[in-house]
Amino acid sequence: MSPNFQRGNIIIKALAQKVLLENVLIKYLLKKLIDCMYSRIVKNQDVLLQQGKINSHLYVSKEGNFQISENGKDLEEFGGARVFGELAILHSSKASQ
């Protein structure tokens, strides 16, 4: 476990004891995140995330249907408002299912 990860866990645990401060920080960080976002219209068959590739985007769908597939096999479909792609950017890793 990296020192930064351990330090982050200590900070999170300490903040969890101070709900007011935690809520203020969460609102501030969410505002900063939202300020970095931009709209994008995706077309049918657009590939947003690809397994094994480094992902640098967090997606928030407003509407529409999205499909998750692996090696040409459909695994899951979802629609409506949803956040996806967050794990790869949070962990600086390749996209997974």
Side-chain angles (χ1 to χ4, degrees), residues 4-5 9-11 14 22-23 29 33 43-45 52-53 59 65-66 68-69 75 82-83 86:
N4 285 342
F5 184 79
N9 279 342
I10 292 168
I11 292 169
E22 181 183 27
N23 287 338
L29 293 174
L33 177 66
K43 299 177 195 125
N44 192 22
Q45 302 297 319
K53 302 280 183 168
Y59 293 94
N65 293 313
F66 299 85
I68 299 171
S69 59
L75 302 176
R82 181 168 168 178
V83 174
E86 73 282 3

Side-chain angles (χ1 to χ4, degrees), residues 17-34:
Q17 296 173 9
K18 303 291 183 186
V19 176
L20 178 62
L21 182 58
E22 181 183 27
N23 287 338
V24 168
L25 283 175
I26 287 172
K27 287 178 185 174
Y28 172 78
L29 293 174
L30 281 174
K31 183 182 179 331
K32 294 298 249 182
L33 177 66
I34 291 168

Side-chain angles (χ1 to χ4, degrees), residues 27-70:
K27 287 178 185 174
Y28 172 78
L29 293 174
L30 281 174
K31 183 182 179 331
K32 294 298 249 182
L33 177 66
I34 291 168
D35 287 346
C36 295
M37 293 180 153
Y38 58 92
S39 294
R40 176 179 170 192
I41 296 173
V42 295
K43 299 177 195 125
N44 192 22
Q45 302 297 319
D46 278 358
V47 176
L48 301 178
L49 302 169
Q50 193 169 4
Q51 187 174 8
K53 302 280 183 168
I54 299 292
N55 178 34
S56 60
H57 291 86
L58 163 77
Y59 293 94
V60 180
S61 63
K62 178 180 174 185
E63 58 188 13
N65 293 313
F66 299 85
Q67 194 160 2
I68 299 171
S69 59
E70 181 178 22

Side-chain angles (χ1 to χ4, degrees), residues 79-96:
R82 181 168 168 178
V83 174
F84 56 99
E86 73 282 3
L87 292 179
I89 65 165
L90 289 173
H91 299 290
S92 299
S93 62
K94 294 180 180 178
S96 64

